[in-house]
Each structure stands twice: as C-alpha cells, then as structure tokens.
C-alpha cells in the first residue's frame, strides 16, 4: 500500500500578507492582549488590568442615546404611524453611491464647522466618506504617494500609522523628531532633517502628515508652527495631510487652529492640503465606521471618491447620523457638553497623577495625557534607554495592572513617556487606577530614596 | 489667483493618475447617460430605463415586513435593553459574533445545508468590492496575475488591479459551448501569462456567473479545481449571486461542495488552503448600501491576514446588529429564499419571453439578476465597432441602458447584459415595447420579425464554422442549454 501522500503546501501568499508590517507584534498590541486575558471589573475582577491604552470616548453616550430615544425615526425608517414610512428603507438599502448621502455630507460639514467655532467653512461636495479614519489615511497615502515614497511624520505619533500608512501602500514613514525641551513642538529644523534623511535613503518625500490635536501628546498645534509647516510643504512642493480626528476634543485654551482656517487665508496652498476626520473619537462611535477625507484639491477629491468604493460607510449609518448631526441644537449642545466632561476628566487625572508625583505634558485636547516617567528610568547612571522604558512598562502592566502605552511604540525620541487614556472608563475606575499609581509611586519613592539619618 | 504651474504640488501618485479605476469604460458611461435622463413612469416616461444595474428590488417588502415586526433590531435593543453603547464601541475586526454565526448559517442554508460554514473562517468586509481587493492583496504581489474567464464583471478591472498592482489575464470563453470554461482555455491563458512573464497566482471565477446568469456546472468546477491543484495556485470563487439561483433543473453548486465531495483527499492535497469564497448581501438581499461582504477561507494564514486588512473596510456595527437579527431568523430566511427565487424566475421569464417575441435570444440562465442577450444579428457589422454602434443606438435612441459585452471583455461582439430585477414589471414591459419598436423600424418590418422569431425557436446547430455575415445570426439563437444540460 502506498504511504499517505505528503500534503501539498498551500500556494504562497503575497509579501503584503506575510510581512510583519501589519504591526501587530508591537507592545501596543501586547498590552491589549494582557488586558484581554485579565480585564478589570469592579465586581468580578477588581485586581484585573485596567485598560488605559484605548483612546475611546465613553463620557458622552447618554447624550447620543437621549437623542435616539427622542428621535426614533433616526435609527429606523419609522413605521406607518410615524409617517416617514418603512418605504424609505428600500432607497436607503439601495444607496451605494460613493458620493455619499447628501444630507449626511451636509451634516458632517456643518459639524466640522461647529467644532472649529465657525472659523473655517467646509464644502459638503469636498467631503469623501470612508469606513473610518484608518481607511481615510490609507486612501490618501495611496493617492498622494507611490510605493517607496516617504511621509514625514512628527514624533511621537499614533502607533497605528505604521500599519495604516505603510502596509499595503508600500510607502515609508520618516520620523520628524520632536523633543520635550520645547514641549515636543515641530520645528523647521526637524522637518528639514527628516526631508534630508528621506532623500539620503533614496526616498521621495510625498508629504507631511500631522495629527492636530496630537495623539499621543494631547496638545493642539500653535498657529505659528502650523504656518511654518505650511511654508515648508510649499517650499518642498509636497503635500500636507492634517489628521484632525481629535478636533472636537479640545477642552482648554488655546483653541484649535485647524489647517482649514489657514487655507482660507492662504488659498495658494489649498491644492496641497488634505484633512482627515472621523466620528470615532468626538462622538465615541468607532463601531459605526465613519471617516472623512476632505481635500481642497479637485483631483484628489475625485480620485478619493472613486477609491472610497473599497471602504464605503453603511447607508443605514449615514442616515442615522445625518439625522443626529443636522440637528443644530443637539450638535452644539453635544460639542459643548462633551468638551466640558473631557476637561473634567483630564483635570481629575492630572491632579491625581500630580498627587502621586507624576508630571504630565500640559495638554488641552484628546482623550489621554502624555505622562512623564523619565525620572523613574534614571538612577542607573547613563542615559535612559528604550529597554528601560519597556521594563517599566512591563512592570506597570503586570504588577500595577495598568495597560498604558509606552512612548517607544509611538516612536518617541526620548524614553520614559507614556500615553495614558482617561475617557474610556468610569470615574470610579479612573480613581482605582490613580490609587494604584499612587501606591506604586509610594513604593518606588521609598525604595529609591536614601534613608535619612535620625 | 495666478496660475503658478511650477509651484503646483507634486503630481499625485501613479495610482491616482492611471485608468485602472475603469471609470471611463462604457459600463460607467451608460450610467452617466441614465443619470442625466432617468426614466420615471409618471415624471419622465421618455427617459432612459436603467437595465445596466444588477440590483435586486423584487423582495424588499419581505424585509420591510420583518423590520416592522422586529423593531428592536433597528432600535438597537436586545430583550428591551439598549445595546447602543456596546455597538458604538464595537470595532473588533473579528466581527460581531452573533452576526458571523447568523451569516454562516444563512450561507449554508443557501447551499441547501450541503456545506457547513465555520464562523471563525469568515472575514467581514465593506462589501464584496472590498473582499475581492483584500484577497488580491493577500494572494498576489504587484505584477502577479489572476486568470479570469470572460465575460466578467467590469468592476473587476478596478477592484482587483487598481491599488494592488495585480494583473488580470482573461480566459477566453465563447458561445460555441455556452461560454463555459474549458481546460484548453485555462491552459491557453496560463501560457499567455507566462509569455508576458507574469506569475500566475490563481483563478477567479464568479459562480453564478455575472454577466452570464448561469450556475457553473459541477463538472466544470471539478475541472477548475484540478487545474489549480495541478498548477499549485489559488482559486477564488465569487459567489455573490448564490442566493439568486432560481432554477430547479440547474441548481447552484458551490465550489465548497465540490471540495467536500472529494473528502479527506482534498485536505491531503492542500486544496482546503487554496480555495477561497467571496460573498455579499448586496445581490440576494438587495442591500448594497449596507456594505456587507465576506471572505470565507479554510486557510488560516489568509483568514489572519485578511482579518487585519479588514480594518480598512469594516462593516458598521449598527448594520451587523440589524443583520444578525434578520439572518438569525430561520423562519424569515426560509421564506425569503423561496419567495425571492420564485419572483426572480418570474421576472426573468418576462424578459426572456419579451425578447423572444422580438426575435432576440438569450443564453439560458439559471441565476442572477440579468440575462446574457444575443443581439449580434442587429449589428450592422460583425465587430466590436458594430457592437458599440448598436449599443449607442439602444442607449440614446431606444432609451435602454444595457451593458455591452465588450465592457465585460467578451471575446465575441454582439452580446449584451440586460438586467431585469431592478425595475417593476410594468417598466420591463415598457422596455420590451421600445425594443420591439426599434427592431421593427430598423430591421424593415414584419417579414424580418417573423424570420427572427422562427430563428429564435430553432433547434441547436453546430457552431464549428466561424460566424460569417447576415443570416448566420439565425443559427446562433440556439437554446445553448442543450449543450450545458448534458453536463449536469
């Protein structure tokens, strides 16, 4: 009898499929896994890991739920009694036009304007909808850059960019190094360095990508710095992508200066400016997959629209959110209340950390603080290293049971900084986390402070 | 504002500038014409009737009925309690478990429960458009090729090639055997790919076929599976039309059934790992706006890579929740599948009979939302120029937006895809009347109509000689099903 045939190997997958560029082997994701294995629950698992690595906004759901309760026709297609009738279900279900629902685009444009206090206008016809900002960023990268080109990105930056911008596009990221000495602000020197670094590596710089407000810093960009960046992209004849996904979360001065505002006073730069937005952070609706590419460049809008075929927003969701965001009174109240609640959370966290002796970068936006633990890395003599930072991170994760994001996963040039989220949990849970930090710092201080002579 | 050409930002990427989005093809141009002048029975009875859109509008009432009886699904409530918060936050690329479970069962039900789908092998994507592209990214490197039988869905040129850089090499099928795929055609395509120094990574079939409207016969599926096994390549089976199969005599057979029939040997030969199915709710359920697509694969590496990639095109959790409830309702799905099938067949018959009365034949179909219609006898010249000129007449003079075979890469001129499920029976009637009027006036009277009608009813003839001119068209209006039925 013939022996069993060896199983034929499956045919190979592509390089894209087998590369590690999906980035899921980084600590950013390892922390999530530790949390998944041992998640905190006030009742059933009070010593579990508290998730502080997830930039979600959970502070304002009641406002959204309240709206839907008062306007049930927004979530459905009404019933015979409501008058709007289930008949409109058919039109909605059939609607796959990549232009997107006009009412929804108008509602998004209006919402984006309100967030910026009316300082910039948005044309609904320049809004291209995508299934989330993840898709929007990748889409713009496909459109503005060829494989092998580089995007210049100020550090520290959102770890997801390594995958979103590079994986399937074949485009590279060259970091624009920022430092704590000036509050991690972007400088022209740093931009020029990055540009040269790209060139030296044989890469054509296709553009600069900013996140404003910044993730993970939680700060808005100064007007003068933004102007410098604009001057830079003009000088180099490249593009500027401004990811403004956190624009609705600016809770303290200074106000957001959006690149949209600058374009209105500098129309000559318009063709090279593109904005990304999403409802995942401001509205706390990451599950609904709503992203926006907004471009002042007609060719980009047209191309982005066609490309959005690969990542359209569910028409059911467009309809529901159109109803919500076109309600001016609701939208304005939401923006105001949400900001206020984020401010309170932020201040509560900063105060708690200060009591524990842990400073943060002064922030005015976002769903997180940029925590300074550099002091804890020193003491061995010599400079702190990424390895030191990861050891501390590991300690925080496995002993203090807090999943926070190490700065190295955000490509920060200085070890010792961590991004810590505050809006994805209840206030009680936040207090538990702060108490744990406090106890940890107490132990640390005792262990490292030389004993006093009595 | 001064036009500072020298200061214009660097050009966009090559991908942005190229034509692979396919939007200049006739497929899209016909749509544009329709949009300028759309038919409306009341407001614009002289407008263009859209027969180029493969949508299923026949069974919405069944879904609407269900929605009225199940308000929690829309209201985002489960057992009376709001699940809004949970859904708002749910962006896990593994998908909502309740939805994947319901989808797995529904896909199995469509195949008469002859195949079981494991929910953990399902990857959800924003439509089949996204699923097909993601599979290309997973299976093909830039410059690699997939073999695709012609005629095929025009959207593939964009979906499979644009951002992936993959190539499509057509597998030529002809009317000689009802456009079935043959081993010879596959081998020929493979050789042509090699001549172009393209590495072939797989074959992609659409089953049931768009634009043919036919279920791929089991024997052909076996042959294709043998081919990919021999060449060591992948097979993607786009089964987006699986729920539109309406024929009892020629039922839809999924490639997964063919694999299952091979038993454990299939796994031994690694076949499990090379066959991937694509599905979507856009055609069966008529929900293209909701963007629900799926990749099904038993290859863990493909599932893993595709799952991560789905981050770029996730399905809205709001929609997943609604559909979990809809598809999880077995009473609904059983009733829907049966009634939808009945209505599709009825509407298809209306189109086929209407065309026959004008002396126009179709490939006998057993699925789909369209017929593959032979209008070659109406062309002034037997060429693609002739086809284009006929198409323009039909769009602009007759006012019917149908899809020319050339846009589907058909190797023979004169075939058109005509949709029937995206309009009312009355509108379809109007379309037939217009077409009749056109044929009568353009092709000189009743005598010709009589000849056309007789020819349409003629028995099968041999197709061995290349088609010449004039009356040869009569020979082509054979019920080509004679060929295909023998092969069940």
């Amino acid at each position: 009898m013939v022996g069993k045939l060896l199983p034929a190997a499956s045919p190979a997958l592509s390089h894209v499929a087998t590369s590690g560029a999906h980035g899921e082997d980084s600590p950013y994701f390892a922390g999530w896994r530790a949390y998944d294995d041992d998640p905190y629950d006030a009742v059933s698992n009070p010593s579990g890991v508290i998730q502080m690595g997830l930039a979600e906004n959970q502070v304002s759901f009641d406002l959204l739920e309240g709206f839907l309760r008062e306007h049930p026709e927004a979530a459905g297609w009404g019933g015979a009694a409501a008058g709007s009738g289930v008949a409109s279900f058919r039109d909605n279900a059939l609607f796959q036009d990549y232009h997107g629902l006009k009412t929804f685009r108008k509602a998004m444009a209006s919402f984006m304007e309100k967030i910026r206090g009316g300082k910039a206008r948005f044309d609904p016809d320049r809004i291209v909808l995508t299934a989330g900002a993840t898709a929007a960023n990748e889409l713009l990268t496909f459109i503005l850059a060829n494989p092998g080109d580089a995007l210049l990105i100020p550090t520290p930056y959102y770890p997801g960019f390594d995958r979103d911008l590079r994986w399937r596009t074949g485009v590279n990221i060259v970091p624009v190094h920022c430092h704590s000495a000036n509050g991690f602000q972007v400088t022209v020197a740093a931009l020029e360095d990055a540009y040269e670094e790209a060139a030296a590596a044989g890469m054509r710089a296709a553009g600069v990508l900013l996140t404003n407000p910044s993730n993970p810093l939680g700060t808005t960009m100064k007007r003068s710095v933004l102007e410098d960046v604009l001057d830079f992209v003009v000088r180099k004849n490249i593009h500027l992508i401004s990811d403004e996904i956190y624009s609705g979360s600016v809770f303290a001065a200074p106000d957001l200066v959006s690149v949209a505002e600058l374009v209105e006073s500098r129309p000559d730069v318009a063709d090279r400016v593109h904005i990304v937005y999403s409802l995942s952070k401001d509205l706390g609706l990451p599950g609904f997959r709503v992203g926006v590419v907004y471009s002042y460049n007609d060719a980009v809008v047209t191309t982005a629209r066609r490309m959005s075929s690969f990542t359209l927003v569910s028409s059911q969701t467009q309809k529901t959110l159109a109803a919500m965001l076109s309600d001016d009174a609701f939208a304005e109240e939401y923006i105001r209340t949400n900001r206020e609640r984020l401010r309170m959370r932020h201040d509560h966290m900063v105060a708690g950390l200060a009591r524990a002796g842990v400073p943060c970068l002064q922030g005015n936006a976002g769903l997180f603080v940029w925590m300074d633990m550099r002091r804890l890395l020193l003491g061995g003599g010599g400079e702190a290293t990424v390895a030191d930072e990861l050891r501390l991170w590991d300690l925080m994760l496995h002993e203090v049971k807090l999943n926070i994001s190490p700065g190295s996963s955000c490509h920060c040039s200085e070890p010792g900084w961590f991004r810590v989220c505050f809006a994805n949990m209840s206030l009680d849970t936040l207090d538990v986390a702060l108490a744990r930090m406090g106890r940890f710092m107490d132990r640390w201080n005792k262990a490292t402070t030389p004993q006093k002579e009595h | 504002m001064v036009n500072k050409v020298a200061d214009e930002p660097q050009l966009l990427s090559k991908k942005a500038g190229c034509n692979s989005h396919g939007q200049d093809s006739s497929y899209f141009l016909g749509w544009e014409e329709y949009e300028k002048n759309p038919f409306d029975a009341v407001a614009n009875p002289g407008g263009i009737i859209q027969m180029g859109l493969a949508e299923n509008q026949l069974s919405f009432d069944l879904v609407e009925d269900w929605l009225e009886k199940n308000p929690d699904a829309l209201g985002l409530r489960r057992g009376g309690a709001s699940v809004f918060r949970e859904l708002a936050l749910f962006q896990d690329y593994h998908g909502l478990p309740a939805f994947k479970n319901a989808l797995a069962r529904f896909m199995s039900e469509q195949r008469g429960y002859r195949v079981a789908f494991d929910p953990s092998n399902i990857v959800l994507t924003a439509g089949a458009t996204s699923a097909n592209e993601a599979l290309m990214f997973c299976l093909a490197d830039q410059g690699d090729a997939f073999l695709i039988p012609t005629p095929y869905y025009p959207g593939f040129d964009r979906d499979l090639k644009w951002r992936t850089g993959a190539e499509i090499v057509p597998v030529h099928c002809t009317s000689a055997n009802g456009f079935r795929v043959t081993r010879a055609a596959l081998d020929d395509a493979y050789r042509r790919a090699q001549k172009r120094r393209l590495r072939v990574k797989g074959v992609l079939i659409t089953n049931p076929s768009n634009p043919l409207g036919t279920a791929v016969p089991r024997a052909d599926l076996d042959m294709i599976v043998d081919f990919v096994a021999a060449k060591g390549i992948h097979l993607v089976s786009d089964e987006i039309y699986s729920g539109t199969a309406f024929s009892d005599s020629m039922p839809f057979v999924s490639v997964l059934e063919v694999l299952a029939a091979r038993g454990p040997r299939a796994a031994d030969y690694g076949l499990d790992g090379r066959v991937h199915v694509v599905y979507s709710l856009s055609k069966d359920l008529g929900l293209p706006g909701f963007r629900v697509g799926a990749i099904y694969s038993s290859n863990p590496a493909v599932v893993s890579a595709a799952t991560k990639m789905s981050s770029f095109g996730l399905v809205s959790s709001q929609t997943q929740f609604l559909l979990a409830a809809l598809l999880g309702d077995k009473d609904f799905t059983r009733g829907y599948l049966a009634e939808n099938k009945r209505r599709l067949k009825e509407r298809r018959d209306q189109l086929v009979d209407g065309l026959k009365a004008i002396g126009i034949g179709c490939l006998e179909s057993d699925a789909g939302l369209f017929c593959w219609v032979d209008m070659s006898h109406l062309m002034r010249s037997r060429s693609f120029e002739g086809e284009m000129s006929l198409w323009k007449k039909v769009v602009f003079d007759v006012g019917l937006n149908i899809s020319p075979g050339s846009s589907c890469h058909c190797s023979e001129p004169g075939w058109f895809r005509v949709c029937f499920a995206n309009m009312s029976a009355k509108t379809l009637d109007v379309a037939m009347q217009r077409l009749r009027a056109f044929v009568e006036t353009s092709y000189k009277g009743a005598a010709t109509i009589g000849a056309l009608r007789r020819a349409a009813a003629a028995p099968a003839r041999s197709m061995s000689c290349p088609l010449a001119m004039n009356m040869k068209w009569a020979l082509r209006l054979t019920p080509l099903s004679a060929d295909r039925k023998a092969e069940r």
Side-chain angles (χ1 to χ4, degrees), chain B residues 143-204:
Chain B
D144 286 345
F146 257 72
L147 310 182
I148 307 191
T150 66
Y152 63 76
Y153 164 55
F156 280 157
D157 291 323
R158 171 197 67 188
D159 298 353
L160 308 180
K161 304 194 311 178
W162 191 13
R163 305 193 301 182
T164 63
E167 292 287 343
I168 293 175
V169 173
V171 179
H172 297 303
C173 300
T174 72
S175 60
N177 70 341
F179 295 95
R180 285 171 60 185
V181 185
T182 64
R183 180 61 191 246
L186 283 168
D187 284 330
D188 174 67
Y190 194 89
R191 269 191 303 271
R192 272 185 284 113
Q194 287 186 312
K195 267 218 193 93
R196 289 171 59 187
R197 299 196 187 292
L198 296 171
R199 194 169 54 149
V200 177
K201 292 310 286 287
V203 173
L204 187 147

Side-chain angles (χ1 to χ4, degrees), chain B residues 433-485:
Chain B
Q433 285 167 32
R434 287 187 188 179
L435 197 53
R436 182 193 192 96
F438 167 72
V439 171
E440 278 174 0
T441 54
S442 304
Y443 299 89
K444 299 182 188 68
T448 312
I449 283 281
L452 293 174
R453 232 185 250 139
R454 277 191 300 279
R461 310 274 180 104
S462 153
M463 292 288 106
S464 51
C465 51
L467 299 160
M469 284 297 303
N470 307 332
M471 299 304 281
K472 280 287 186 182
W473 54 259
L475 295 174
R476 302 190 67 232
L477 295 172
T478 59
L480 291 158
S481 56
D483 245 4
R484 297 173 55 249
K485 277 194 171 123

Side-chain angles (χ1 to χ4, degrees), chain A residues 5 7 11-12 14-15 24 58 65 77 93 95 98 142-143 146 237 272 286-287 306 309 311 314-317 320, chain B residues 7-9 13-14 21 23 74 82 85 88 90 93 137-138 141 158 232 234 268-269 289 312 316-319:
Chain A
L5 291 163
S14 65
H15 288 123
E24 276 189 33
Q58 295 192 23
E65 280 177 296
W77 288 276
F95 188 86
Y98 60 26
F142 270 120
I143 292 175
N146 288 312
N237 193 15
R272 58 182 86 249
R306 289 175 179 162
S309 300
T311 185
S314 167
S315 53
Q316 175 194 20
T317 299
T320 299
Chain B
D7 290 347
E8 271 173 19
S13 68
K14 295 193 182 80
H21 51 71
Q23 218 136 300
L74 290 178
S82 170
R85 217 184 146 104
F90 188 87
Y93 56 27
F137 270 121
C138 287
D141 286 320
R158 171 197 67 188
H234 294 275
D268 280 353
Y269 283 94
F312 298 108
S316 167
S317 57
Q318 177 192 22
T319 301

Side-chain angles (χ1 to χ4, degrees), chain A residues 292-372:
Chain A
V292 169
V293 167
Y294 189 91
S295 176
Y296 296 92
N297 181 316
D298 292 347
V300 172
V301 173
T302 303
T303 308
R305 212 181 263 140
R306 289 175 179 162
M307 226 183 243
S308 71
S309 300
F310 297 109
T311 185
L312 297 174
V313 178
S314 167
S315 53
Q316 175 194 20
T317 299
Q318 290 189 50
K319 182 200 176 290
T320 299
L321 295 177
M324 200 184 274
L325 298 181
S326 345
D327 184 326
D328 285 332
F330 169 78
E332 270 152 29
E333 212 229 298
Y334 179 91
I335 291 170
R336 202 173 34 242
T337 309
N338 182 52
R339 274 185 187 142
E340 187 48 35
R341 291 179 182 180
L342 288 177
R343 186 185 63 74
M344 281 172 39
R345 269 307 168 93
H346 167 269
D347 292 352
H348 188 89
M349 168 149 234
V350 169
L353 289 175
R355 275 194 303 276
V358 182
C360 300
L361 182 72
Q362 174 151 30
N364 65 327
L367 309 173
F368 33 74
V369 298
W370 188 235
M371 191 171 75
D372 184 357

Side-chain angles (χ1 to χ4, degrees), chain B residues 228-247:
Chain B
V228 303
K231 297 297 189 196
I233 60 180
H234 294 275
L235 174 60
V236 175
S237 179
D238 184 346
E239 303 191 349
I240 192 176
Y241 288 98
S242 47
T244 68
F246 50 71
S247 165

